[in-house]
Amino acid sequence: MKEIIQLHDKKFRIMIPAEKIDEAVSAVAQRINQDYADKETPLFVGVLNGSFMFMSDLIKKIEFNNELSFVKLSSYEGTSSTGQVKSLIGLNNSIEGRHIIVVEDIVDTGESIEHMVRDLEARKPASIDVCTLFFKPGSYRKQLPIRYRAMEIGNEFIVGYGLDYDQLGRSLKDIYVVTE
Ligand code: IMP
Ligand code: MG
């Protein structure tokens, strides 16, 4: 792996190698396997684009029968005076009565995940848990419990393993952190 990479105007240095990520994904998958062993066909809902790589590795370690789907929060200019409106696209089938595990790349302030969970709750699932690859405890501002956190980091900006800096860096198998 490269020690330093350049994406757009910024330099990033290696922070978490692929092997460490794999260990963290295995650990969180093991917890989910235990907690969900007796639940009726849970549905994993990945939030695009960032969660695609995490979902791919996580789901291979899941030992119970499951279903998988991806959603996207699309922002568009609303016609109302409130301006920006975000809507959830991609969930075409009913999730009523289902056990949902939302799979996220990173929870920072919690704004996005709270929005996502509120939207899903309105569709009356049996339960919702959140599983995020990264959690930033220093910037989280919400009350919503984040049950599964594969790794916790400081308030630094990272890329790789699905996470991007202005769309670059998603394909990296290791995690890089921005340098000052
Ligand atoms: P939140 O709504 O503040 O929790 O931010 C969540 C979203 O911001 C994530 O889904 C990412 O798209 C983006 N984000 C937050 N921190 C990072 C980071 O360190 N690297 C890449 N994207 C990030
Ligand atoms: Mg995201």
Side-chain angles (χ1 to χ4, degrees):
M1 78 196 69
K2 284 187 180 160
E3 281 296 318
I4 302 282
I5 56 166
Q6 172 103 30
L7 302 174
H8 298 299
D9 58 331
K10 294 194 191 317
K11 284 192 165 59
F12 294 80
R13 64 178 158 73
I14 186 77
M15 181 181 170
I16 308 169
E19 305 74 61
K20 290 283 176 212
I21 301 170
D22 187 60
E23 284 172 22
V25 175
S26 293
V28 86
Q30 200 179 328
R31 287 182 54 208
I32 295 173
N33 280 328
Q34 283 164 5
D35 297 345
Y36 278 79
D38 57 356
K39 297 269 196 322
E40 177 80 33
T41 321
L43 170 64
F44 287 82
V45 175
V47 184
L48 290 175
N49 292 324
S51 75
F52 79 97
M53 206 176 281
F54 178 37
M55 175 70 101
S56 168
D57 286 343
L58 178 72
I59 209 75
K60 283 178 270 185
K61 299 174 195 281
I62 295 301
E63 290 161 358
F64 49 80
N65 283 349
N66 61 81
E67 290 180 19
L68 179 158
S69 189
F70 283 99
V71 295
K72 198 162 188 162
L73 272 180
S74 79
S75 19
Y76 57 91
E77 291 301 320
T79 47
S80 70
S81 55
T82 51
Q84 280 268 308
V85 183
K86 282 190 170 182
S87 69
L88 189 66
I89 54 172
L91 263 192
N92 303 318
N93 298 330
S94 166
I95 60 164
E96 193 170 342
R98 303 292 304 273
H99 293 288
I100 308 294
I101 301 163
V102 181
V103 178
E104 257 287 18
D105 53 353
I106 188 162
V107 174
D108 186 7
T109 65
E111 207 62 55
S112 320
I113 194 66
E114 182 174 76
H115 192 92
M116 176 73 53
V117 168
R118 297 282 169 262
D119 187 311
L120 292 172
E121 270 171 358
R123 300 167 192 234
K124 302 191 168 56
S127 67
I128 304 180
D129 273 325
V130 175
C131 175
T132 186
L133 178 64
F134 288 103
F135 183 69
K136 295 182 177 176
S139 44
Y140 193 60
R141 291 196 261 105
K142 303 292 178 181
Q143 300 305 315
L144 179 78
I146 307 295
R147 186 171 186 183
Y148 303 106
R149 314 159 181 192
M151 289 175 275
E152 297 198 348
I153 57 168
N155 290 350
E156 52 223 334
F157 189 85
I158 59 174
V159 293
Y161 199 78
L163 291 109
D164 71 302
Y165 169 48
D166 201 7
Q167 301 308 325
L168 289 183
R170 290 194 200 279
S171 62
L172 297 162
K173 65 181 170 46
D174 310 290
I175 294 291
Y176 287 79
V177 60
V178 74
T179 60
E180 302 321 315

